[in-house]
Amino acid sequence: MRKVALVGAGVSKFGVRKATYRDLIWEAGKACFDSVPGVRPKDLDGLVVGSVMPERTAFQSHISSLAAEALGIRPSTLSARTEHMCASGTVGIRYAYAFIAAGLADLVMVLGVEKLNQPQGEEAILNMGTGVDREWEAAFGLTAPPCFALAAQRHMAEYGTTEQHFGLVGVKNHTHASKNPNAHFQKGATLDQVLGSRMIASPLRLFMCSPITDGAAAVIVASEERARALTDRPVWIRGTGQALDGFQLTSLHEDYAHWPALKRAGEAAYRMAGLEPKDVDVAEVHDCFAIAEIIAYEELGFCKKGEGGAFVEAGRSDYGGDVVVNPRGGLMGCGHPLGATGVAQAAEVWAQLRGEAGARQVPDAAVGVTHNNSGMGEHVVMIYGRE
Amino acid sequence: MKTYFRATDPYPLEASDWNKLHGFYDALAAGRLVSTRCDGCGHVAWPPRGFCPECASDRYTWVDLPAEGRIHGFTVQHAGLPAGFTGARVFAIVKVDTHRIFSVIIDADPSTVSIGQRVTLAPIRVDDDPKGNARWLPAFRPA
Ligand SMILES: [Zn+2]
């Protein structure tokens, strides 16, 4: 297999955007091309677009071709859309990686885009129900918050994790987002604010949840030969893993505080990279809800099972700790435009490993992890390393 | 302009014109909880299914499940519900026999719901489908 690297990355402003689906594609595409001087749209040979629900939010299918035309990309080796709910972006990066590693493509953009906000807010939430089983789950009004609330309750009962621990994840990620001009939220948050915010699904409060957000992100993935010609600081894809426990809530591990698929996906990625959790300097994990970040610490091996609450409380997931988790602000601070999230995580690690993350820079970051999930039972992990 | 609403209709099409497993809903309308038992290997599934993951058979027989179970886990959602749904809404995993069934608990003060609580099947009638067929969902209420 050939070595594969990220050579460029760019992110649109995330938020409730006064913009169309195509406007967001242009914004992320522009930012991404600006990051790699010398690469024009027609130099790319492939495009993969991660996008979950443009059929509902923009009444639009045929997404990869739309984005290729919008950006002036003329795919000659690979053109595809990935849909894997909240992990669609990272699943797209894996496709580009595999094509390039196999020698089937050389220079591929992976773009994630979502325009979730609608003129009527409740409709945006109704649309989120497409991510769970329509007949046996969404028909009852289920969306993500109650699923993760069940995990939070189990974690509290089993390990003594507290609302304050969840609150500290919210404070950390909102604080990080305050240093990210592209984040949905930039005002930070205090523990009192987080713990005093309104209850969404017990025990998860508003500031322990990611919001409904519009946004797009793009990265350019390259073969070793192309990467070396384009930049002196390529960010190598060193490992990747994906694993699934199940789709329906009742198909997952009976104890929702345990996410075996995340553990397996992480182990596969570490094995491929020849690295261990202690080697990781920076991690972008899928904090769609505060409990998810706490379980991610554990299943990714940053701490022992059950110690995720204490890990955040001791500052071990923040600057100066063991591993800086979610320096861009995570899904809670940046927002979660589904298909764009995994790509934006990769863009952050790309900037961090090149030393270009500005006020958010993790000192001397050499190894970065991204973790993207679609529900509690489906996980994708990427490991990146600098030269 | 004619209004088409399947794209925002949150309920499945349950009638025999649209759904091979309509037998589940026929039984539910009569107050019974049923599921599929595989004719190939005898595996009883929840939810009902037209293909057996154990032996790959697509032949099945409807069997009755107990109409009673216990709450295995639950959460109360107060805000952020989809269009057409209101809080406080009690989402629960109900253990019926050996099956874990996802559902909602109705006719209960959310503050009194507890893990281990006994609940019974309470079919709820939801909006008719676009052809006027009645539709039901398998909810539960405190026993
Ligand atoms: Zn069978």
Side-chain angles (χ1 to χ4, degrees):
Chain A
M1 291 211 299
R2 302 198 296 175
K3 285 179 72 176
V4 179
L6 302 185
V7 297
V11 178
S12 80
K13 167 72 182 160
F14 280 19
V16 180
R17 293 297 314 278
K18 295 174 180 171
T20 66
Y21 188 73
R22 189 177 356 237
D23 289 333
L24 296 170
I25 291 171
W26 278 327
E27 232 181 271
K30 164 77 174 153
C32 185
F33 282 113
D34 283 354
S35 76
V36 213
V39 172
R40 296 159 302 175
K42 65 183 180 187
D43 297 330
L44 302 184
D45 55 80
L47 173 66
V48 180
V49 181
S51 198
V52 174
M53 51 181 70
E55 286 82 354
R56 297 185 71 85
T57 60
F59 211 163
Q60 179 72 62
S61 299
H62 208 168
I63 294 310
S64 184
S65 302
L66 177 151
E69 188 161 287
L71 294 174
I73 297 167
R74 300 169 201 174
S76 56
T77 58
L78 170 62
S79 173
R81 169 188 172 190
T82 53
E83 191 284 294
H84 205 287
M85 200 53 195
C86 311
S88 300
T90 307
V91 170
I93 293 172
R94 281 168 59 86
Y95 276 27
Y97 168 76
F99 264 71
I100 295 169
L104 297 173
D106 288 312
L107 197 59
V108 177
M109 174 176 279
V110 180
L111 182 128
V113 54
E114 219 77 56
K115 171 62 194 172
L116 293 178
N117 285 285
Q118 297 293 305
Q120 298 176 98
E122 291 175 325
E123 186 176 339
I125 298 175
L126 185 71
N127 289 341
M128 299 302 284
T130 61
V132 297
D133 192 288
R134 169 59 45 203
E135 188 165 11
W136 302 105
E137 297 178 332
F140 292 96
L142 182 70
T143 53
C147 303
F148 288 83
L150 287 167
Q153 291 184 2
R154 281 301 307 160
H155 212 277
M156 294 170 90
E158 215 164 323
Y159 301 117
T161 305
T162 62
E163 282 188 47
Q164 172 146 330
H165 290 137
F166 300 141
L168 288 168
V169 176
V171 170
K172 173 177 72 68
N173 293 353
H174 277 273
T175 303
H176 291 179
S178 70
K179 295 182 175 132
N180 180 354
N182 288 323
H184 188 147
F185 299 122
Q186 292 177 276
K187 294 181 180 167
T190 65
L191 189 58
D192 282 349
Q193 270 179 304
V194 176
L195 295 178
S197 62
R198 70 184 164 129
M199 186 64 82
I200 301 296
S202 53
L204 300 174
R205 295 175 181 276
L206 184 65
F207 276 60
M208 304 170 187
C209 305
S210 54
I212 303 274
T213 298
D214 312 322
V219 293
I220 294 176
V221 191
S223 64
E224 180 173 14
E225 187 185 348
R226 299 299 292 275
R228 295 207 186 279
L230 288 168
T231 177
D232 56 1
R233 278 175 296 162
V235 170
W236 302 103
I237 296 177
R238 295 195 49 184
T240 175
Q242 179 175 21
L244 283 75
D245 285 330
F247 170 56
Q248 290 172 356
L249 200 49
T250 52
S251 303
L252 309 186
H253 192 293
E254 188 157 355
D255 180 346
Y256 295 127
H258 291 258
W259 295 358
L262 174 51
K263 190 170 173 59
R264 294 197 303 278
E267 285 170 351
Y270 288 128
R271 194 162 52 241
M272 183 172 167
L275 294 168
E276 295 178 38
K278 65 176 171 49
D279 299 321
V280 179
D281 301 302
V282 55
E284 284 286 322
V285 309
H286 196 101
D287 61 323
C288 49
F289 299 92
I291 180 61
E293 179 164 323
I294 285 176
I295 294 177
Y297 300 153
E298 300 168 357
E299 305 292 5
L300 287 170
F302 299 146
C303 65
K304 289 190 188 135
K305 189 70 212 169
E307 294 180 359
F311 192 75
V312 65
E313 189 166 33
R316 293 174 63 189
S317 54
D318 210 340
Y319 292 86
D322 300 17
V323 50
V324 181
V325 178
N326 286 325
R328 80 187 171 103
L331 284 61
M332 277 189 274
C334 290
H336 181 26
L338 311 181
T341 285
V343 184
Q345 292 177 322
E348 178 71 12
V349 168
W350 175 82
Q352 290 283 352
L353 300 196
R354 288 165 59 95
E356 294 175 349
R360 307 192 302 280
Q361 184 63 47
V362 175
D364 202 33
V367 173
V369 161
T370 67
H371 157 238
N372 205 189
N373 69 32
S374 18
M376 302 193 292
E378 309 161 59
H379 300 268
V380 196
V381 175
M382 303 290 297
I383 300 180
Y384 298 92
R386 68 182 186 202
E387 201 67 65
Chain B
M1 186 173 141
K2 184 174 177 183
T3 302
Y4 299 90
F5 64 92
R6 265 298 290 160
T8 52
D9 171 12
Y11 306 115
L13 294 175
E14 300 178 351
S16 57
D17 283 351
W18 306 97
N19 193 328
K20 283 173 74 176
L21 295 179
H22 64 90
F24 172 81
Y25 298 105
D26 298 342
L28 188 64
R32 289 162 49 221
L33 186 69
V34 300
S35 194
T36 48
R37 183 180 65 210
C38 172
D39 289 350
C41 70
H43 178 74
V44 178
W46 180 267
R49 47 191 305 154
F51 174 83
C52 178
E54 303 295 329
C55 74
S57 169
D58 64 353
R59 301 178 62 85
Y60 54 83
T61 302
W62 290 107
V63 293
D64 280 87
L65 299 184
E68 190 173 292
R70 287 181 187 275
I71 293 179
H72 189 59
F74 73 97
T75 180
V76 183
Q77 186 166 6
H78 299 269
L81 284 141
F85 296 87
T86 51
R89 192 163 177 85
V90 184
F91 293 101
I93 307 290
V94 178
K95 198 93 177 245
V96 171
D97 204 349
T98 58
H99 303 285
R100 281 187 289 158
I101 296 180
F102 172 77
S103 186
V104 289
I105 307 301
I106 60 167
D107 301 338
D109 174 350
S111 66
T112 66
V113 175
S114 61
I115 288 175
Q117 186 175 5
R118 287 177 53 217
V119 291
T120 57
L121 181 71
I124 44 174
R125 184 159 176 190
V126 294
D127 297 345
D128 292 353
D129 79 10
K131 295 291 187 186
N133 298 299
R135 292 191 289 188
W136 298 82
L137 293 179
F140 288 80
R141 67 161 58 92

